[in-house]
Amino acid sequence: MLRSPLLLASTWLLTILAVLTAGLAVRLAPVEKTLAWPTWGPWNDALGFAAPLALVLAVLAALLLFVAGGAAKEGNRARPFAELLLFFPLLFAFVWFLLPAGRPGALAMVMAGLFLAAAWFLFRHGPTSTPKTPWYATKYTYFLDAGIILLPVLAGLAMGHSPDLKAGGYSLLLYPLYAFIQLVAFLHIPTTRLRAMGLSAENSTLFAALVFSLIHWPNPLVMLITFAGMLLWAQQFQNGRRLWQLALVMGLCATTVSQFLPDDLTRHMRVGPGYVRWEAMILLADDSPTNHPSDFIQDLYPQTIGRQVLPQELQTWLALIKEARPSTWAAMFLTSAESRKHLAAAGKELPPPDSDHWTDWPEEWKSRIEHFQSAEYWQRSGGNLAGFVGALYGDILGRGASAKEIGSWQTILTRNQKRRISELLLELNLRQGQTEFTGMSLEEFRFPN
């Protein structure tokens, strides 16, 4: 038993779990931990459970590696075991310690490229588990392929969900290539190494499916789908089916799941830190009982930073929101349907779409926003909210405003604004921890409508 390849495979899996759990403990804010870890039964203390568990898993994996050291040295097991033990824990560490929850930066892209190059090297230079007999597809094979591809379509139609056909078209073209990359990393590399270590085809399939599911943590539906899919595809691959055929099936299946099932069910197919960040933003903003900036920020700090907001920090946030309001309101006026109608009637250029934040607009339009947000414009329009809003009606829409219209503009936070503040505080927790917040520029703030 001590020299069993199953022990080596278990050591590999425990190492991955230790890295993943350590990432949850170190990186995530308090509210994110509750979304990235089960909060039922014995796991209810999500905030304090991840760190001890990561330590236990790491110690257990180290003990197993020490005990099974002889098994790793037998025959030709050392190299495939070392490749598994290096590549996958480092990949999980990259995802849970370094990969941004939002748009990846230059460093993340470079590191992703290095992992891609390493995966290609391991794909081209390693053992093979392809049997001598070729794969012969049967009617059952094609029926099974069609079933897993069409099942999400039928489920989505039954739930009344309308797919995005344009996005689905792009996915049909691009996802098979992405699927091939995933299958190289999470099917070919692990199964060939596990088989070279002496593991059976059935156990190799199970371990590959578990690791493929874990890389999609903590989206429950996506984890379930990827586990079930890899069980089938790893089995077929080890029976001789070509990788490009599986990539085509996987790409089509991923397209129907992502486009035909409701986003509320798939959670927009988000996984990893991006899933946790998005769910936390929705929870903090949409479920908040208050729309007043001061109360909202005071409620946010314990859930994001893990402490109470300092008085000077609160004043910095309130001053930043006050500074950002004129530019936000001006952008809302410029992109409104009435503004577009007014500009079109005058034969003037229409503003950018309201889906683009004003900081991303062309310089000509950004300069207009900067004019409306200037202190001179605020003072010239009365130095108060009612006068400023009334001036926007006249200067942008070309008409006066009733008292009711002016009164509808309030200083409470919108849902999108609460989500943005929540996102920033979650990001500050990652970058600064307990460091005091001292402010940021309006370009960094990107206060939305």
Side-chain angles (χ1 to χ4, degrees), residues 319-334:
L320 182 60
I321 293 171
K322 183 178 180 180
E323 181 186 5
R325 286 196 187 281
S327 58
T328 301
W329 286 335
M332 291 172 69
F333 267 89
L334 284 170

Side-chain angles (χ1 to χ4, degrees), residues 13 92 205-215 227 230-231:
L13 181 61
F92 274 79
T205 294
L206 177 61
F207 275 91
L210 285 171
V211 172
F212 190 51
S213 177
L214 286 174
I215 200 65
F227 177 76
M230 187 57 76
L231 281 179

Side-chain angles (χ1 to χ4, degrees), residues 400-421:
S402 65
K404 182 178 180 180
E405 286 178 313
I406 293 177
S408 66
W409 292 82
Q410 304 178 35
T411 57
I412 61 174
L413 297 171
T414 67
R415 182 182 64 177
N416 287 337
Q417 290 167 354
K418 291 198 292 184
R419 286 186 179 183
R420 177 57 180 161
I421 295 172

Side-chain angles (χ1 to χ4, degrees), residues 131-187:
K132 295 180 181 179
T133 56
W135 167 271
Y136 292 103
T138 64
K139 290 182 179 179
Y140 172 77
T141 302
Y142 296 130
F143 178 79
L144 190 59
D145 290 343
I148 62 175
I149 292 170
L150 294 178
L151 183 60
V153 177
L154 298 176
L157 294 177
M159 287 184 280
H161 178 68
S162 300
D164 186 339
L165 296 180
K166 182 179 180 180
Y170 286 127
S171 183
L172 282 174
L173 292 174
L174 300 177
Y175 210 101
L177 176 60
Y178 180 49
F180 184 81
I181 295 172
Q182 291 186 80
L183 290 175
V184 165
F186 293 96
L187 171 56

Side-chain angles (χ1 to χ4, degrees), residues 269-287:
M269 299 298 287
R270 290 184 174 89
V271 298
Y275 171 91
V276 178
R277 176 63 51 83
W278 179 257
E279 293 297 312
M281 286 167 50
I282 294 176
L283 178 64
L284 293 171
D286 296 11
D287 293 350

Side-chain angles (χ1 to χ4, degrees), residues 79-388:
R79 177 175 175 177
F81 180 59
E83 289 173 344
L84 291 179
L85 206 57
L86 285 174
F87 180 78
F88 287 95
L90 286 176
L91 178 60
F92 274 79
F94 166 67
V95 170
W96 283 102
F97 283 90
L98 298 176
L99 185 66
R103 184 179 301 176
L107 177 60
M109 295 298 292
V110 169
M111 295 190 67
L114 292 176
F115 278 108
L116 187 62
W120 185 253
F121 177 84
L122 294 175
F123 173 63
R124 299 293 296 173
H125 300 86
T128 176
S129 63
T130 304
K132 295 180 181 179
T133 56
W135 167 271
Y136 292 103
T138 64
K139 290 182 179 179
Y140 172 77
T141 302
Y142 296 130
F143 178 79
L144 190 59
D145 290 343
I148 62 175
I149 292 170
L150 294 178
L151 183 60
V153 177
L154 298 176
L157 294 177
M159 287 184 280
H161 178 68
S162 300
D164 186 339
L165 296 180
K166 182 179 180 180
Y170 286 127
S171 183
L172 282 174
L173 292 174
L174 300 177
Y175 210 101
L177 176 60
Y178 180 49
F180 184 81
I181 295 172
Q182 291 186 80
L183 290 175
V184 165
F186 293 96
L187 171 56
H188 185 279
I189 292 175
T191 56
T192 54
R193 271 67 184 178
L194 291 170
R195 293 301 300 275
M197 289 160 46
L199 211 64
S200 66
E202 292 76 13
N203 285 332
S204 298
T205 294
L206 177 61
F207 275 91
L210 285 171
V211 172
F212 190 51
S213 177
L214 286 174
I215 200 65
H216 295 92
W217 184 285
N219 187 322
L221 179 63
V222 176
M223 288 183 68
L224 178 62
I225 291 174
T226 52
F227 177 76
M230 187 57 76
L231 281 179
L232 173 65
W233 298 324
Q235 181 186 45
Q236 291 182 346
F237 172 71
Q238 295 187 85
N239 286 332
R241 196 171 192 187
R242 298 293 184 88
L243 208 60
W244 69 264
Q245 296 175 356
L246 295 173
L248 180 60
V249 174
M250 179 180 171
L252 294 174
C253 182
T255 297
T256 56
V257 168
S258 61
Q259 302 304 323
F260 283 87
L261 293 182
D263 287 337
D264 289 342
L265 187 63
T266 64
R267 315 309 290 178
H268 300 272
M269 299 298 287
R270 290 184 174 89
V271 298
Y275 171 91
V276 178
R277 176 63 51 83
W278 179 257
E279 293 297 312
M281 286 167 50
I282 294 176
L283 178 64
L284 293 171
D286 296 11
D287 293 350
S288 173
T290 179
N291 295 321
H292 296 284
S294 179
D295 295 337
F296 179 67
I297 292 171
Q298 291 182 74
D299 289 343
L300 275 187
Y301 255 75
Q303 302 178 76
T304 55
I305 306 299
R307 60 172 173 82
Q308 297 296 326
V309 61
L310 301 175
Q312 59 268 30
E313 286 180 307
L314 179 59
Q315 294 306 313
T316 301
W317 279 109
L318 296 179
L320 182 60
I321 293 171
K322 183 178 180 180
E323 181 186 5
R325 286 196 187 281
S327 58
T328 301
W329 286 335
M332 291 172 69
F333 267 89
L334 284 170
T335 56
S336 67
E338 184 177 353
S339 170
R340 293 180 183 278
K341 183 178 180 180
H342 176 71
L343 292 171
K348 297 181 179 180
E349 180 184 1
L350 298 182
D354 57 4
S355 58
D356 295 342
H357 194 266
W358 70 264
T359 56
D360 296 326
W361 287 3
E363 287 301 323
E364 175 190 354
W365 288 96
K366 285 179 66 175
S367 64
R368 300 189 190 189
I369 296 294
E370 291 165 359
H371 164 69
F372 290 122
Q373 75 175 14
S374 66
E376 293 78 8
Y377 188 85
W378 177 267
Q379 293 300 325
R380 191 166 63 249
S381 57
N384 56 64
L385 170 64
F388 177 75

